[in-house]
Amino acid sequence: MTDRVTLNPASNVVDLESPDDIALADRMKVGREQIVAELRKIIVGQDEVVQQVLMTLFVGGNSLIVGAPGLAKTLLIHTIARVLDLKFSRIQFTPDLMPSDITGTDLVQEDTTTGRRQMVFSAGPIFANIVLADEINRTPPKTQSALLEAMQEHRVTVQGKTYQLAEPFYVFATQNPIELEGTYPLPEAQLDRFMFHIVIDHPPYDEEYDVIRATTALRNPELNKPVTGDDLIAFQRLVRKVPVADAVMRHALDIVRASRPKSTTSPDNVKKWVAFGASVRAAQFLVLAGKARALTNGRYHVSFEDIRALAHPVLRHRIITNFHAQSEGITSDTLVDRLLEAVPLPRSGM
C-alpha cells in the first residue's frame, strides 16, 4: 500500500487512527483481491459489476442489479455468499407473494411436554446474511415494502414484536429490464435505499465464448473462504474512518445538488428533462463508496476521481426523468454524463 497520509489542515486529511487501522486497510485490499480470485473460478468477466458488488459489501449497503436473463446475476451473488461463508437466501418475488412470506409469521404450536398451545415465531427467508430479492418488481408495493425496514434498520417487526437480523446483512435485488408487462415499478423512496444501481450488460465476444466453454463442461471448483463476516463488519467500520478532503466532499455534494431541477446550480438539460433529482442519500453514498474505492486501491484518502467514477451507479436510479426526456430517449445515464460535464473538477485537483 501507499505511505500513510499525513496531517493536512487545509484539506482536512488526517491519518487513520492507529497501526491496527493501517493493518486492517492492508487486509481489506488483500481480501478484495482474494475474493475476486475465488469468484473468477466461476464468474467470467463483468469486472466492473464485481467491483461494485464488493464495494456494496465493504460499505454495508444494499444494491439493485439490473440485467437481461442469463447474465449470472443470481450466480454472482450466490457465489459471493459461498466465498464469504455467509448464509444466503433467495426470494423469488411473484405477484402473490405476501409480506409474511418474507419476514416470517407467528404460528400456533403445541408444547409436547405440557400440551399447551403457544405462539411461536417462524422466521422468514429475510433472516440471512445475504438476501437475493429476485425480480423484485414482480410483486406489489405492499410486499416490496416488507424489505424497507430490513434494509434500513436491519430488523423486522411482526405482530408488534421486533426481531434483529444477524450481521452482516445485505439485500441485493434484481430486475429484468426486458419484460415490464405485469410488473410494479419500485417506488422512489425504496429505490433511494439502494446504494448502487448496478447494470449488467452482455459480455464482449471473447468473454461470452469463455462463459459458454466453462458452463458446458464438467466442473466443480473448490472455493476458498479468505474473508469472513466478522472481517466485513470490521471493513465497514474502517471505511467510515477514511478521511475526505473538504473540497472532495463538496464536489460530491455539488454533483448531487446539480441533479435537482429546482437548484440554482442545475444545468439547463436537468431543468428540461428531470422530474426529481438525487436525494441527500446520494451524496452520502458517493462519499462512502469513494472511501471504499480508495482503500481497495491502496489509498488512505478519497480523490475527486473516486467520486466521479461512482456517479453513474449511485445516481442513475435517483434521477427521475420526465415525459420530455422519455419522449426524446434521454436516459438517466445520459444525464449523469451531462452532470459530470457541468460540474468540472476543481482546479486544485487531487
Side-chain angles (χ1 to χ4, degrees):
M1 275 188 116
T2 58
D3 293 336
R4 291 182 64 180
V5 178
T6 56
L7 181 64
N8 183 343
S11 62
N12 294 328
V13 175
V14 296
D15 287 332
L16 293 180
E17 291 183 0
S18 68
D20 289 341
D21 288 336
I22 303 301
L24 185 58
D26 289 333
R27 172 80 181 97
M28 179 174 166
K29 181 176 182 293
V30 172
R32 182 196 69 84
E33 295 168 353
Q34 292 172 326
I35 293 172
V36 171
E38 294 304 308
L39 290 175
R40 288 289 167 252
K41 296 178 181 179
I42 294 179
I43 303 296
V44 176
Q46 301 292 0
D47 293 342
E48 188 173 354
V49 172
V50 169
Q51 298 308 323
Q52 290 172 14
V53 169
L54 292 182
M55 277 189 280
T56 304
L57 298 176
F58 295 152
V59 169
N62 311 285
S63 285
L64 179 66
I65 305 176
V66 178
L71 294 181
K73 299 185 292 295
T74 300
L75 179 62
L76 171 60
I77 303 305
H78 189 200
T79 304
I80 284 178
R82 289 175 58 194
V83 170
L84 298 173
D85 198 22
L86 295 176
K87 183 179 179 182
F88 172 79
S89 178
R90 175 180 175 271
I91 307 173
Q92 181 63 54
F93 279 65
T94 57
D96 60 347
L97 193 72
M98 298 296 292
S100 59
D101 296 327
I102 296 174
T103 61
T105 188
D106 288 327
L107 301 176
V108 177
Q109 290 188 0
E110 183 176 314
D111 189 325
T112 56
T113 58
T114 65
R116 298 181 60 183
R117 294 185 177 182
Q118 57 184 351
M119 300 295 290
V120 177
F121 178 67
S122 177
I126 196 71
F127 286 84
N129 298 116
I130 295 182
V131 177
L132 179 66
D134 214 356
E135 296 187 289
I136 189 174
N137 58 332
R138 292 200 173 278
T139 200
K142 179 181 179 181
T143 304
Q144 291 173 1
S145 65
L147 285 176
L148 289 179
E149 183 183 16
M151 289 170 59
Q152 188 69 21
E153 306 294 338
H154 291 198
R155 65 187 184 189
V156 296
T157 301
V158 179
Q159 299 293 336
K161 187 173 182 180
T162 299
Y163 300 89
Q164 202 69 34
L165 298 170
E167 298 291 347
F169 176 77
Y170 308 96
V171 172
F172 290 93
T174 70
Q175 283 189 179
N176 177 354
I178 298 176
E179 299 176 9
L180 299 178
E181 185 175 352
T183 61
Y184 304 84
L186 291 175
E188 285 76 9
Q190 185 164 343
L191 277 173
D192 193 43
R193 284 171 166 80
F194 288 103
M195 173 179 163
F196 285 155
H197 175 160
I198 302 171
V199 175
I200 297 185
D201 290 323
H202 289 284
Y205 183 92
D206 290 341
E207 286 185 8
E208 191 165 359
Y209 175 81
D210 290 338
V211 169
I212 296 170
R213 183 176 62 179
T215 56
T216 55
L218 183 64
R219 61 172 186 162
N220 186 25
E222 181 178 344
L223 296 177
N224 298 315
K225 300 173 175 59
V227 174
T228 67
D230 289 339
D231 288 333
L232 288 178
I233 294 172
F235 295 161
Q236 291 170 19
R237 289 195 294 264
L238 180 69
V239 163
R240 292 180 176 270
K241 293 182 179 181
V242 175
V244 183
D246 184 70
V248 174
M249 192 171 295
R250 289 184 182 279
H251 186 60
L253 182 58
D254 288 343
I255 293 172
V256 170
R257 289 179 65 85
S259 73
R260 301 167 187 164
K262 293 184 179 180
S263 172
T264 57
T265 61
S266 63
D268 290 340
N269 47 52
V270 167
K271 296 181 185 297
K272 178 181 178 182
W273 288 321
V274 175
F276 299 99
S279 69
V280 176
R281 276 200 188 99
Q284 293 170 332
F285 280 132
L286 268 179
V287 172
L288 282 171
K291 291 183 176 190
R293 187 177 189 267
L295 280 180
T296 54
N297 281 281
R299 289 180 282 107
Y300 299 139
H301 68 280
V302 183
S303 69
F304 292 113
E305 178 55 30
D306 290 323
I307 300 299
R308 296 173 75 85
L310 297 164
H312 284 84
V314 170
L315 296 177
R316 62 165 57 105
H317 58 303
R318 293 183 165 92
I319 296 178
I320 311 301
T321 56
N322 59 23
F323 172 78
H324 298 292
Q326 295 164 16
S327 64
E328 296 179 37
I330 302 297
T331 66
S332 58
D333 274 308
T334 302
L335 287 165
V336 175
D337 289 334
R338 303 286 180 89
L339 277 175
L340 294 177
E341 294 172 0
V343 185
L345 281 168
R347 291 183 180 180
S348 56
M350 292 180 63

